[in-house]
Amino acid sequence: MDQEFLQPLTIAFKIFKQLGFYQTKDSSKRYRIYGFLLHLFTIEPIVVGLTIPFFGMKSILHLSDVLCIAFTYISLSFKSLNLMMILDEILAEIEVARELIIFMNEKQSKFGYIRARMKSVKRIFLIYHFSCLLTVNLSPLAMLIFKRGPPYTIPYIMWAPFDYEHNFYGFIVMMLIEYLSPLIYCGAMVAMDILPIFFFNLSAGLL
């Protein structure tokens, strides 16, 4: 039951470790620096690039498009930093729950319900992650097929220090940024969102 209990978080923690988010008191200085630099150079520039166009928007439609994506990355920035700061507390809570399940070992009938809850959490995670990856892959593909230029159009409006609307190579650079960044971080966003769902379902299973 111990492994089944942690199963929904296995993929989530693997993603956190790869992206440098798995910052605990035992993490090495090298890993901490890696996580900080990756965050600084891959998330924050996107946030800046998405926020700057907000001040020059004259169309409500364009404004809503910018805000939608900008707030997604701003929330990713804050949530990932918050995760780094409180991960030790999250792991401590998971350990308490694990010990409680071991203590309740004699009540086997209870485990069936908890097992079903954990399978449900894993299923939600996989569906959510798949839909996120599908969106990330289809959006740039649709732009390349249906929005030929010049002027070139990228999936969402972003400021850049170069002209990408009339420069093919600038357009390719922006397409790569807008494709690779969400491809890398959509898993992290899903993983962070699954944590409260995990604890809610675990609590419901222990009641």
Side-chain angles (χ1 to χ4, degrees), residues 61-78:
L61 181 61
H62 287 166
L63 182 62
S64 63
D65 288 342
V66 170
L67 287 178
C68 178
I69 303 299
F71 282 143
T72 300
Y73 273 91
I74 290 170
S75 68
L76 169 63
S77 178
F78 281 106

Side-chain angles (χ1 to χ4, degrees), residues 158-169:
M158 181 185 291
W159 173 84
F162 51 83
D163 178 22
Y164 59 81
E165 292 184 345
H166 300 91
N167 184 304
F168 177 74
Y169 296 105

Side-chain angles (χ1 to χ4, degrees), residues 122-138:
K122 184 178 180 181
R123 188 160 49 248
I124 291 169
F125 176 86
L126 293 175
I127 292 172
Y128 191 8
H129 195 189
F130 174 77
S131 64
C132 184
L133 289 173
L134 189 64
T135 304
V136 167
N137 283 281
L138 289 181

Side-chain angles (χ1 to χ4, degrees), residues 1 4 108 110-120:
M1 180 60 197
E4 289 181 86
Q108 295 294 331
K110 196 72 174 173
F111 288 160
Y113 186 61
I114 298 176
R115 187 179 291 111
R117 286 281 185 172
M118 293 300 101
K119 286 182 178 179
S120 175

Side-chain angles (χ1 to χ4, degrees), residues 67-198:
L67 287 178
C68 178
I69 303 299
F71 282 143
T72 300
Y73 273 91
I74 290 170
S75 68
L76 169 63
S77 178
F78 281 106
K79 284 163 67 175
S80 56
L81 288 172
N82 184 58
L83 175 70
M84 293 179 192
M85 291 188 290
I86 67 169
L87 185 60
D88 281 316
E89 296 175 35
I90 292 173
L91 295 175
E93 294 296 329
I94 292 173
E95 180 62 21
V96 169
R98 188 184 70 82
E99 291 176 358
L100 181 59
I101 287 176
I102 294 173
F103 179 74
M104 294 171 59
N105 190 41
E106 70 278 2
K107 297 182 180 180
Q108 295 294 331
S109 60
K110 196 72 174 173
F111 288 160
Y113 186 61
I114 298 176
R115 187 179 291 111
R117 286 281 185 172
M118 293 300 101
K119 286 182 178 179
S120 175
V121 173
K122 184 178 180 181
R123 188 160 49 248
I124 291 169
F125 176 86
L126 293 175
I127 292 172
Y128 191 8
H129 195 189
F130 174 77
S131 64
C132 184
L133 289 173
L134 189 64
T135 304
V136 167
N137 283 281
L138 289 181
S139 295
L141 183 62
M143 286 294 178
L144 288 172
I145 295 174
F146 300 110
K147 295 285 187 178
R148 297 180 180 180
Y152 299 105
T153 305
I154 55 179
Y156 38 86
I157 300 169
M158 181 185 291
W159 173 84
F162 51 83
D163 178 22
Y164 59 81
E165 292 184 345
H166 300 91
N167 184 304
F168 177 74
Y169 296 105
F171 167 69
I172 293 299
V173 169
M174 292 303 293
M175 285 294 291
L176 285 173
I177 291 173
E178 295 199 352
Y179 171 69
L180 293 176
S181 179
L183 182 66
I184 294 170
Y185 285 107
C186 73
M189 295 191 69
V190 175
M192 287 186 282
D193 288 343
I194 212 69
L195 288 175
I197 297 175
F198 168 81

